[in-house]
Amino acid sequence: MSETIRKVISERVVVANFFSSRFSGVHESIRISPDKSRVAYVGFRKNKRFLVVNAEEQKLYDGIAEGTPIFSPDSKRIAYGAKLGKKWVIVRDGKEGKPYDGIMKGTPVFSNDGNRIAYGALTGKLFGFSTKAQDYLRRSHMAWGNIFKAKWSLIVDGKQDRYYNEISIPVFSPNNQHIVYTARKGKKWIVVLDGKEQKEYDDIGEGTPIFSPDSNHVAYVAKLVNKSILVVDEKEGNQGDRMDGLPVFSPDSKHLGYVAGFGKKHCVVLDQKEEKKYREILAGSPAFSPDSSNTAYGAFTGDGWNMVINSEEGKQYKAIPPISDNNPIFSPNSKRVAYSALTTRNKSIVVVDGSEYGEYDDVMQDTPVFSPDSKHVAYVVKKVKKWAVVVDGHEHKEYDGIGAGSVVFSPDSNQIAYFAEVGNKWLAVLNEEEGQQYDSFVPVVGFVFTQFDQFGYWVQKGTDMYFVEERIG
């Protein structure tokens, strides 16, 4: 990492009094657009609720739906659920949609380009519940629609699909052209792709259906009697007695992997070819590298856990965390791999390209992370009661805490930043150089490198939320 000279060039109030008692209960509603240019949250005045976007108050409503607002991926649009009397509407860029008896929790959702929007709408009354309970149920994806004669339908770009007893949160395809969701008809479940119903099953696996990255394929787990089966483009078929996990497409969409069960054994299946059978396979397996040429998964032999990379078993450990975005993690160029593990001495280590690093009391869950140029790897470790960031095996200063998810490399890979706790204060650390202390930081945002020589972050200072921008010399 390069030598760093820092200078604060601006401290701008983003939301005045946001951390005061009068804003209590709305902190969890804060949203910052993906491009970091807009800040939105839910405010309240007496019995009314309203959205605030970049300090501008929007229309007053009787309520704002839990989990909203949401920004579109391109940051140009914003949407939220709002209550008008006994009805609920979706408000998109200030324009209200058709009123319904309820809006499904977890919706609305935008397409990747931000041009399309979909949400679940409830029609009918939930008899037998208090007004307060009904308001909660109307905002939730619950299974009481059939019992209380209420029906759910999907609204896509303002057009209403058919009614069902239940529906799932919809998923847009990566190319924005398709939308898929699951629906319950009586006691059976179906997948609905672009309004077309597929075969009925006893259930559809949670977390599915999924699109391939090229948007040309749809895969899901279907349950028939007591068996789980794989369905790809409406064709049933999987190895083994059952599906033990979710299907995973490679980034180039050319490969499909999943975990299959064979009696008491399990194995990863890649392109319908069975790998070695094990007693257990880690949840989330397999993981693909960014270029789709490498795979990794955790397997239990009966004596311990091994990370299996390209079908070759690594060293055995007492435990390996579940497969996730950060464990194991392939470098951006797909040539390196890192993961954390627990040794028989009950110590946590990090394995990078087959080499072990350190013995710690813990390794933070969302690390390790690689730099964009794949040359550096960083992770957060616990040593007794202190925490430290480790970069390429070099331990930084120990702190009372490191902000979860805050470790980030700059786009040119020359800088590494994170939030660190000192007593009851927090500060931004850049290449081991400490910044000013603040009361807290805003964890949902992290850092933004605005230019090659500038970076910024959101903090709490007194009762106000600030955006701090620094120049890197």
Side-chain angles (χ1 to χ4, degrees):
M1 300 290 100
S2 59
E3 185 178 349
T4 305
I5 300 175
R6 301 168 56 178
K7 180 180 179 181
V8 174
I9 57 177
S10 70
E11 281 188 345
R12 174 169 53 89
V13 176
V14 178
V15 184
N17 296 313
F18 184 76
F19 296 97
S20 66
S21 58
R22 77 181 185 90
F23 275 87
S24 177
V26 301
H27 298 160
E28 63 273 11
S29 71
I30 187 170
R31 301 289 188 274
I32 297 180
S33 60
D35 67 0
K36 309 297 192 294
S37 67
R38 303 169 75 189
V39 179
Y41 61 91
V42 177
F44 63 92
R45 183 175 297 118
K46 294 183 179 180
N47 294 324
K48 298 292 184 178
R49 297 290 184 269
F50 56 93
L51 193 68
V52 181
V53 183
N54 283 6
E56 293 185 6
E57 295 184 5
Q58 312 295 306
K59 180 179 176 178
L60 290 171
Y61 289 100
D62 296 307
I64 301 293
E66 182 182 348
T68 66
I70 65 163
F71 282 101
S72 59
D74 64 0
S75 303
K76 295 179 180 179
R77 294 173 174 83
I78 189 170
Y80 58 99
K83 187 181 181 185
L84 279 169
K86 295 183 178 181
K87 298 289 185 178
W88 288 82
V89 298
I90 289 296
V91 183
R92 179 187 181 187
D93 297 332
K95 296 181 180 179
E96 297 172 359
K98 180 181 176 181
Y100 293 95
D101 293 307
I103 300 297
M104 180 191 297
K105 186 177 180 180
T107 66
V109 295
F110 281 105
S111 58
N112 287 331
D113 63 4
N115 292 328
R116 306 185 67 191
I117 190 171
Y119 56 93
L122 178 71
T123 301
K125 296 181 178 180
L126 298 167
F127 296 104
F129 289 91
S130 66
T131 301
K132 185 176 181 180
Q134 287 191 42
D135 284 343
Y136 173 77
L137 298 179
R138 288 181 180 120
R139 298 193 305 271
S140 305
H141 178 207
M142 311 298 281
W144 291 304
N146 186 45
I147 298 175
F148 298 103
K149 308 301 180 184
K151 299 176 181 179
W152 290 96
S153 59
L154 188 70
I155 314 300
V156 186
D157 302 328
K159 298 180 180 179
Q160 185 173 359
D161 206 346
R162 57 179 62 86
Y163 289 112
Y164 295 103
N165 300 117
E166 288 185 73
I167 61 174
S168 67
I169 296 173
V171 178
F172 279 104
S173 60
N175 69 359
N176 314 299
Q177 300 302 308
H178 308 286
I179 189 167
V180 68
Y181 63 100
T182 64
R184 182 169 66 86
K185 297 175 66 177
K187 294 183 179 180
K188 296 293 184 178
W189 284 85
I190 57 173
V191 166
V192 183
L193 175 61
D194 295 332
K196 180 185 175 183
E197 296 182 352
Q198 298 189 4
K199 181 179 176 179
E200 293 184 354
Y201 293 98
D202 294 329
D203 200 359
I204 303 295
E206 186 177 355
T208 66
I210 61 169
F211 282 102
S212 58
D214 65 4
S215 303
N216 291 331
H217 305 284
V218 174
Y220 56 93
V221 178
K223 296 182 181 180
L224 200 56
V225 190
N226 294 319
K227 185 177 182 180
S228 297
I229 58 177
L230 175 66
V231 182
V232 182
D233 300 332
E234 298 189 76
K235 296 180 181 179
E236 300 175 355
N238 56 273
Q239 307 296 94
D241 305 322
R242 64 194 179 277
M243 288 283 292
D244 282 342
L246 302 180
V248 181
F249 282 106
S250 61
D252 65 3
S253 302
K254 295 180 180 179
H255 308 286
L256 179 67
Y258 58 90
V259 179
F262 295 78
K264 295 183 179 180
K265 295 286 187 176
H266 313 264
C267 82
V268 166
V269 180
L270 295 169
D271 300 330
Q272 296 302 314
K273 294 181 180 179
E274 300 171 12
E275 298 261 304
K276 179 180 176 180
K277 294 180 177 65
Y278 294 96
R279 284 184 56 178
E280 290 185 56
I281 302 289
L282 279 181
S285 298
F288 286 96
S289 61
D291 69 357
S292 304
S293 66
N294 305 297
T295 59
Y297 59 90
F300 184 65
T301 61
D303 298 317
W305 288 87
N306 303 73
M307 189 64 75
V308 182
I309 301 174
N310 295 333
S311 303
E312 295 186 7
E313 296 177 358
K315 183 177 177 180
Q316 191 173 94
Y317 297 103
K318 184 177 180 179
I320 296 174
I323 302 298
S324 66
D325 290 342
N326 289 87
N327 207 72
I329 182 170
F330 287 99
S331 59
N333 66 5
S334 300
K335 295 180 179 180
R336 307 181 68 191
V337 64
Y339 59 93
S340 61
L342 185 68
T343 69
T344 55
R345 291 160 47 86
N346 288 322
K347 290 293 184 179
S348 293
I349 63 170
V350 172
V351 183
V352 182
D353 302 328
S355 298
E356 298 178 351
Y357 290 87
E359 279 199 342
Y360 305 102
D361 295 309
D362 198 5
V363 175
M364 190 170 284
Q365 188 174 5
D366 56 2
T367 62
V369 295
F370 277 103
S371 60
D373 65 4
S374 303
K375 294 180 180 179
H376 308 288
V377 63
Y379 44 94
V380 181
V381 301
K382 185 179 183 181
K383 301 174 69 176
V384 190
K385 294 183 179 181
K386 298 289 186 178
W387 292 84
V389 170
V390 181
V391 182
D392 300 331
H394 168 66
E395 292 185 14
H396 287 195
K397 178 180 176 179
E398 295 179 6
Y399 293 97
D400 296 317
I402 301 294
S406 70
V407 178
V408 62
F409 285 96
S410 61
D412 64 3
S413 302
N414 289 328
Q415 321 285 343
I416 186 169
Y418 53 90
F419 289 109
E421 185 181 16
V422 179
N424 61 351
K425 298 289 184 179
W426 288 85
L427 48 84
V429 180
L430 183 71
N431 292 353
E432 299 188 79
E433 294 292 330
E434 297 178 349
Q436 297 180 18
Q437 293 189 3
Y438 296 96
D439 295 312
S440 185
F441 70 100
V442 183
V444 297
V445 189
F447 294 91
V448 54
F449 288 85
T450 53
Q451 298 181 30
F452 73 94
D453 64 344
Q454 293 180 17
F455 81 116
Y457 47 94
W458 286 259
V459 297
Q460 175 188 352
K461 187 176 181 181
T463 61
D464 299 333
M465 181 193 299
Y466 279 75
F467 178 71
V468 180
E469 193 167 18
E470 297 190 29
R471 178 171 287 119
I472 308 169

